[in-house]
Amino acid sequence: MDPELEAFVPLFPRADLTDPVADRKKFAELATAVPAPDTADMEIEDRTVPADPDVAVRIYRPHGAQGAVVWLHGGGWIMGDLDTEHPWAARLAAASGQVVISVGYRLAPEDRFPAALDDASAVLSWAVEHAAELGVDPGRIAVGGHSAGAGLAAGLALRARDQQGPQICFQLLNQASLDDRQQTWSARHFTETPWANRSKIAEAWRHYLGSAPASPYAAPARAAELSGLPPAYVATAEFCPNRDEDIEYAVRLLQSGVSVELHQWPGTFHGSHAILSAEVSQRQIAELGAVLHRALAN
């Protein structure tokens, strides 16, 4: 493990997701400890997207943006909101120079699948329809996220393809949660890695799915056909249970004719980019911004 990251491992709070309300509080406390980003060169606006029910979004508008990303936060579909995601959404907007639409989707177990995906779909449609108001090209709308949010983004791309939904130009998948089965080598061997471990991931899927079987829109690794999807950037952490399901998904995308950039970050673990003092974390965040800029501005 990267020594700059390893020093912080004992400080990471443990959350087993058996008490979602308490775990949300811990997650929020962790997010408030992240240094605030510089937002002087962008406009930030809280909006409500009309849907059933309405969806809260926070829009980050850097000057001169050409495209936008519908951005979905992590937290195992159980934790996280617009405030906890603020440090990362703002940094992504600053690093990419593109509009970031952070989505306050409904959380499990109170609202199980497909509630979060429905919210994301409503925001995607709204973003395309309101591209002129956002000051971006409607043909330059991407989806993306981290962890559970990246899984939602991948599911959103599948649904949009299958149901002739809005055109998505790119998908940015960072340490995505894609497979409920937990049968890959990394899922079976990285059972006690920091922040994400086997029992915690199983609990997250249980809260998210309830008693319903996992569909490809919930667990994109289950999709039989990946052709026709948008180009993708897939990033993985070396010591992450999700690592191999993400790599396998990237390879399957490639084999289906989808253009993919895959970056495996050595020495990192799931969510370790939150340790901003580490040089590798700074490179990870800068690269996410650069990738989004290339996808939307060029």
Side-chain angles (χ1 to χ4, degrees), residues 146 173-178 186 233-250 261-273 280 284 287-288:
H146 170 70
L173 310 179
N174 188 49
Q175 300 175 16
S177 299
L178 300 173
S186 61
Y233 172 86
V234 179
T236 63
E238 181 175 358
F239 301 110
C240 173
N242 295 351
R243 184 194 69 189
D244 292 353
E245 66 199 59
D246 293 350
I247 292 172
E248 289 173 11
Y249 194 73
E261 181 174 353
L262 172 63
H263 194 136
Q264 156 57 39
W265 290 93
T268 62
F269 57 86
H270 193 86
S272 63
H273 63 276
V280 66
Q284 285 177 284
E287 176 159 317
L288 288 174

Side-chain angles (χ1 to χ4, degrees), residues 13-270:
R14 294 192 65 83
D16 56 18
L17 301 186
T18 56
D19 184 345
V21 174
D23 289 331
R24 285 172 194 152
K25 183 179 179 181
K26 293 177 187 175
F27 192 76
E29 290 171 352
L30 187 66
T32 59
V34 177
D38 182 5
T39 58
D41 293 330
M42 70 182 75
E43 299 174 16
I44 302 175
E45 179 186 13
D46 285 348
R47 293 280 294 270
T48 300
V49 170
D52 185 21
D54 294 347
V55 186
V57 297
R58 184 167 295 167
I59 304 169
Y60 301 79
R61 286 198 193 96
H63 303 304
Q66 296 168 277
V69 60
V70 175
W71 184 254
L72 301 153
H73 65 77
W77 307 284
I78 297 164
M79 305 175 290
D81 54 32
L82 297 179
D83 292 331
T84 62
E85 192 61 14
H86 174 72
W88 312 112
R91 283 181 168 85
L92 183 62
S96 67
Q98 306 305 306
V99 172
V100 173
I101 306 169
S102 183
V103 182
Y105 58 82
R106 285 172 287 172
L107 300 175
E110 294 89 345
D111 293 289
R112 302 188 194 276
F113 175 83
L117 188 63
D118 288 344
D119 292 349
S121 295
V123 174
L124 172 63
S125 296
W126 178 87
V128 173
E129 293 166 5
H130 291 77
E133 180 186 343
L134 294 168
V136 301
D137 180 345
R140 301 188 188 201
I141 305 292
V143 297
H146 170 70
S147 189
L152 281 170
L156 185 55
L158 285 165
R159 182 193 267 188
R161 178 200 66 180
D162 295 345
Q163 299 180 4
Q164 290 73 55
Q167 190 71 30
I168 298 169
C169 73
F170 189 71
Q171 48 183 331
L172 183 64
L173 310 179
N174 188 49
Q175 300 175 16
S177 299
L178 300 173
D179 196 341
D180 62 298
R181 293 165 292 191
Q182 293 188 274
Q183 291 302 307
T184 65
W185 188 94
S186 61
R188 289 183 290 107
H189 287 80
F190 296 148
T191 57
E192 290 299 329
T193 46
W195 191 245
N197 57 64
R198 188 174 181 84
S199 61
K200 184 178 178 181
I201 292 172
E203 194 73 10
W205 281 108
R206 186 182 69 80
H207 283 309
Y208 185 47
L209 298 173
S211 59
S215 75
Y217 299 147
R222 288 181 174 268
E225 178 57 62
L226 300 183
S227 62
L229 289 170
Y233 172 86
V234 179
T236 63
E238 181 175 358
F239 301 110
C240 173
N242 295 351
R243 184 194 69 189
D244 292 353
E245 66 199 59
D246 293 350
I247 292 172
E248 289 173 11
Y249 194 73
V251 170
R252 289 185 58 212
L253 284 169
L254 283 168
Q255 293 169 342
S256 300
V258 178
S259 181
V260 176
E261 181 174 353
L262 172 63
H263 194 136
Q264 156 57 39
W265 290 93
T268 62
F269 57 86
H270 193 86

